[in-house]
Amino acid sequence: MNRTFDRYGAVAFLAIGTLFVIESRKITTSAYGSNVGSDIFPFYLGIILVLLSIRLFYETFRYAKSKPGKEKEKLDYKRFFIIFGSAVLYAYFMEDIGYVISTFVFLLIGFQTMNRGKIWVSALIAAIFSYGLYYLFVEILKGTLPGFPSWLGLS
Amino acid sequence: MSTLDYLGHGFAVALQWHNLLFAFIGVLIGTAVGVLPGIGPMSGVALLIPVTASMTGGLSPEQAAISSIILLAGVYYGAMYGGSTTSILLNTPGESSSVVTTLDGYQMARKGRAGTALAISAIGSFAAGVVALVGLIFLAGPLSEIAIKFGPAEYFSLMILGLAAVSGLAGKSITKALIMTVFGLLLATIGIDSVSGVARFTYDIPVLYSGLEFLTIAVGLFALGEVIKTILERESNDGQLAKITRIMPTKQDLKDSAGPITRGSLLGFFIGILPGAGATMASFFSYIMEKKFSKHPEKFGQGTIEGVAAPESANNAAAGGAMIPMLTLGIPGSGTTAILMGALIMYNVQPGPLLFEEHPQVAWGLIASMFLGNLMLLILNMPLVKIFAKIIETPPKYLIPLIVAISVFGVYAVQYTTFDLMLLMACGVAGYFLARNDFPLAPLVLGLVLGPMIENNMRRALTISNGDYAIFLQKPISAVFLVAAVLWLVVPILMKRRGKKVLVNEEG
């Protein structure tokens, strides 16, 4: 049990619950042919969430003191930030630079961050995956994915 | 038409060549998912929804629904089977439902009987699949006939019971589980209200009008969450792979495990039907039960074949049993069935009592395909088990970025928006940190899937009663469900107070 996380979590859920309660008051309170409007369900759920988070906050005071030294695991934040950061950029720019190029770049960065070396193998797998999936999905299954950017003049 | 006629039709559907192919792909991928430590059945099924959606693009809506659900269910029980492979060979369970299998399975492997252990768990899984199939045939019809008489008030209370059961058993803290359930229900209210057409919590942002897509959240929480965990915590399998020598079990082995397989299958099936109690608990209970039944309880933990046969049959039977409340009542009892149900809803097939009337092809086709799929697993796994064992050696270097890329592809192929990709990333981070701090994720997904239905039934019931909340207690069946729901939450708390250990279901 991580007391700090649970406390912040309780406060966050308290805020979310309050927000839903306040905002649901702005929704119309009746529907056609019924005096039960679309505000009731989120309103009560919001109240329940508020009560539950208060309960969780109260529970955090009763946690046994965590034993020092046991919880400290070394987390690989550097690797996480590189891969996750590139994943976010990949998602954000996918529509602009197209599926094949963005996926290829992301996979290459991902493979190399996980374990440096064998760059040609990585590039080959990334290329096969990104173009293979694109070809399979767009050409054969007639799905839609962002193609190559127009300034490349490929299509 | 009688049940047997329906079942015949179901087999006719399941035996169509493309559905056989889908079932085959399903169990194959499922086994791989079970073997790979990074992805569990929940993320496996969630990841494959968009892939199947594009694969079935050319079929009519109902046919597409059948084929996809056949594939996805195949992944589910395939993963149940595959999970045992790593338990036995590596002493690291691929899924939480095969944790118990490590106790005796790995010991058997150390004695050079890895092949026998794998074969027995394949046979046990198959037997369990058959038991679950028979159970489904007998229970599905009557259950949906009862459920069809339920009014909105009864339905509302039944779903509350389902949510309470899952929250009461998920994870270490009931408070946290309930928070996640309510949060899931709240997230489901975002978007246009289906009854009145009023936009709720959308703030004029166009992408929010259709609501948060369940698929995006499920893939983010489960698949990306697990990927992030692997990246941060540097999980690796350094264990020594046990050698597989003899695969076919001897006559004595079969004789020894016949009883445990039967008992495990039956127990697992009934535990599977109960909402909240999934495959993990089924395997635990059956192991404990076998130990009590056995004439040599001291042999358990030292590599006895009964200790592998019972839990492995139980977890597969539970996977089949869990289908029953999902199909007949429309109430998924676990995270994985919630995702399967979400997939059915995406195809406009609403699970519930009407499913067997409106879409008998889907319901019975799925039931029949589960039988065929289990048969395929049995045939596949006996000779190919050595190849599957090789999958464990897939370097995470390639696996992790590829899972991210498949998640992104899957979400984009269904939703076509960058917003959903960003939501996916956010859910991944949230999923990792929440799960790490014992906030269970399955109740959230369950709330998200059940939210609209609970709300509609609640409002229908309240409209009937003119806004009087007493209707939920005046209807006897509804009152019973609500009381049961309260008991389900209160009893574990009281038991904990008394200092008893409460078994929780980690798989969700």
Side-chain angles (χ1 to χ4, degrees):
Chain A
M1 298 270 184
N2 184 340
R3 189 189 293 206
T4 327
F5 183 90
D6 286 1
R7 265 189 208 159
Y8 280 117
V11 172
F13 282 116
L14 184 77
I16 294 170
T18 320
L19 195 75
F20 269 98
V21 171
I22 296 170
E23 290 297 308
S24 64
R25 293 283 83 188
K26 294 181 189 162
I27 302 170
T28 163
T29 51
S30 71
Y32 182 76
S34 162
N35 55 1
V36 187
S38 42
D39 60 324
I40 289 189
F41 194 63
F43 176 70
Y44 282 112
L45 281 177
I47 290 178
I48 298 173
L49 189 59
V50 167
L51 294 177
L52 283 171
S53 0
I54 294 171
R55 160 97 197 153
L56 179 64
F57 196 74
Y58 164 73
E59 275 177 10
T60 56
F61 288 100
R62 300 186 4 196
Y63 286 175
K65 279 252 165 70
S66 58
K67 293 163 201 109
K70 194 193 153 206
E71 287 285 305
K72 286 265 183 257
E73 284 176 77
K74 266 239 157 185
L75 292 181
D76 200 337
Y77 278 111
K78 189 182 153 206
R79 201 164 72 152
F80 167 70
F81 281 119
I82 296 175
I83 295 182
F84 188 73
S86 48
V88 170
L89 292 176
Y90 164 45
Y92 190 75
F93 288 108
M94 190 171 98
E95 290 194 338
D96 298 318
I97 56 173
Y99 182 79
V100 179
I101 297 174
S102 58
T103 309
F104 176 78
V105 173
F106 166 73
L107 284 179
L108 198 58
I109 295 173
F111 292 154
Q112 289 300 312
T113 317
M114 288 298 288
N115 202 339
R116 191 65 60 84
K118 286 192 191 166
I119 189 139
W120 289 110
V121 183
S122 301
L124 187 70
I125 295 179
I128 292 173
F129 180 85
S130 52
Y131 189 74
L133 197 64
Y134 180 80
Y135 181 80
L136 196 73
F137 189 69
V138 174
E139 304 291 330
I140 296 177
L141 295 165
K142 301 288 172 209
T144 311
L145 283 176
F148 290 93
S150 51
W151 40 261
L152 269 182
L154 281 175
S155 52
Chain B
M1 268 202 291
S2 74
T3 308
L4 279 180
D5 286 333
Y6 276 123
L7 185 67
H9 281 275
F11 270 104
V13 172
L15 281 169
Q16 283 167 350
W17 70 267
H18 64 270
N19 285 337
L20 280 178
L21 185 70
F22 275 105
F24 179 73
I25 298 174
V27 294
L28 203 64
I29 295 178
T31 314
V33 162
V35 170
L36 288 171
I39 24 180
M42 267 192 276
S43 38
V45 174
L47 269 178
L48 278 168
I49 291 175
V51 180
T52 53
S54 45
M55 274 164 76
T56 55
L59 300 166
S60 73
E62 195 181 32
Q63 292 243 298
I66 299 171
S67 303
S68 326
I69 199 73
I70 283 176
L71 195 154
L72 296 173
V75 175
Y76 181 26
Y77 52 77
M80 287 291 153
Y81 176 74
S84 61
T85 312
T86 45
S87 298
I88 292 167
L89 293 180
L90 261 179
N91 204 18
T92 31
E95 318 304 332
S96 56
S97 58
S98 23
V99 172
V100 195
T101 315
T102 56
L103 298 177
D104 277 291
Y106 186 62
Q107 293 301 324
M108 279 183 79
R110 283 182 53 183
K111 287 182 186 167
R113 307 220 297 151
T116 317
L118 288 168
I120 273 298
S121 63
I123 295 169
S125 301
F126 175 71
V130 176
V131 168
L133 176 83
V134 174
L136 263 169
I137 294 168
F138 279 108
L139 284 176
L143 257 183
S144 55
E145 265 165 41
I146 297 171
I148 214 160
K149 297 194 181 105
F150 287 175
E154 283 87 356
Y155 241 95
F156 169 79
S157 307
L158 181 61
M159 287 187 210
I160 295 291
L161 172 61
L163 284 183
V166 172
S167 316
L169 292 172
K172 290 175 185 148
S173 154
I174 292 185
T175 316
K176 288 180 184 173
L178 284 175
I179 286 182
M180 297 305 276
T181 313
V182 176
F183 188 50
L185 290 170
L186 274 174
L187 288 181
T189 63
I190 295 175
I192 294 204
D193 167 33
S194 60
V195 179
S196 61
V198 178
R200 293 188 291 189
F201 315 113
T202 53
Y203 306 104
D204 295 326
I205 303 166
V207 282
L208 285 180
Y209 280 117
S210 57
L212 298 180
E213 174 61 38
F214 132 86
L215 177 75
T216 311
I217 293 182
V219 172
L221 286 179
F222 296 116
L224 272 196
E226 279 180 69
V227 163
I228 292 174
K229 183 171 183 240
T230 319
I231 297 176
L232 276 174
E233 297 177 3
R234 280 195 176 273
E235 284 183 352
S236 56
N237 309 312
D238 298 327
Q240 196 71 45
L241 264 186
K243 281 229 168 60
I244 304 165
T245 44
R246 185 194 155 85
I247 289 178
M248 286 310 284
T250 59
K251 267 203 179 131
Q252 185 59 35
D253 292 334
L254 287 175
K255 222 175 114 191
D256 285 343
S257 44
I261 287 178
T262 323
R263 286 189 288 269
S265 306
L266 289 173
L267 181 78
F269 177 71
F270 286 109
I271 291 181
I273 297 177
L274 293 177
T280 311
M281 288 181 91
S283 56
F284 261 102
F285 278 135
S286 76
Y287 188 80
I288 295 166
M289 185 181 76
E290 257 345 286
K291 213 171 164 178
K292 288 226 170 93
F293 264 104
S294 169
K295 285 178 194 130
H296 322 275
E298 71 281 355
K299 272 194 184 168
F300 278 79
Q302 294 175 352
T304 178
I305 198 155
E306 289 98 325
V308 177
E312 274 309 307
S313 341
N315 70 26
N316 253 53
M323 294 281 179
I324 290 186
M326 192 269 272
L327 289 174
T328 58
L329 305 175
I331 296 176
S334 68
T336 321
T337 41
I339 292 173
L340 282 178
M341 180 159 153
L344 279 174
I345 295 175
M346 276 176 64
Y347 284 102
N348 223 358
V349 172
Q350 175 72 52
L354 289 174
L355 176 74
F356 285 81
E357 271 184 28
E358 285 174 356
H359 304 280
Q361 313 276 34
V362 178
W364 291 106
L366 171 64
I367 293 173
S369 87
M370 285 176 69
F371 175 78
L372 295 174
N374 272 303
L375 193 65
M376 284 179 200
L377 271 179
L378 183 66
I379 299 170
L380 261 180
N381 280 300
M382 296 288 239
L384 293 183
V385 74
K386 286 183 189 172
I387 298 172
F388 278 124
K390 283 262 182 272
I391 300 179
I392 306 171
E393 290 160 7
T394 312
K397 171 182 179 181
Y398 299 113
L399 190 65
I400 296 297
L402 281 176
I403 294 177
V404 178
I406 294 172
S407 312
V408 167
F409 161 76
V411 166
Y412 194 85
V414 172
Q415 288 298 103
Y416 303 117
T417 61
T418 306
F419 168 78
D420 272 89
L421 293 182
M422 289 301 156
L423 181 65
L424 173 78
M425 298 296 162
C427 285
V429 177
Y432 167 70
F433 282 106
L434 288 172
R436 191 176 145 78
N437 290 289
D438 304 316
F439 283 85
L441 300 175
L444 194 155
V445 176
L446 211 62
L448 197 62
V449 172
L450 284 182
M453 279 181 284
I454 292 185
E455 182 179 13
N456 288 348
N457 281 301
M458 183 185 96
R459 283 163 68 183
R460 254 180 249 155
L462 287 177
T463 305
I464 294 169
S465 71
N466 248 328
D468 184 4
Y469 285 89
I471 186 174
F472 297 114
L473 294 173
Q474 281 160 355
K475 300 239 174 193
I477 300 176
S478 159
V480 169
F481 286 149
L482 284 182
V483 169
V486 173
L487 285 180
W488 210 297
L489 292 177
V490 173
V491 169
I493 296 178
L494 290 180
M495 279 170 71
K496 260 184 205 162
R497 281 267 161 86
R498 288 210 180 152
K500 279 190 183 150
K501 245 179 102 185
V502 181
L503 202 58
V504 291
N505 195 21
E506 302 253 334
E507 176 242 13

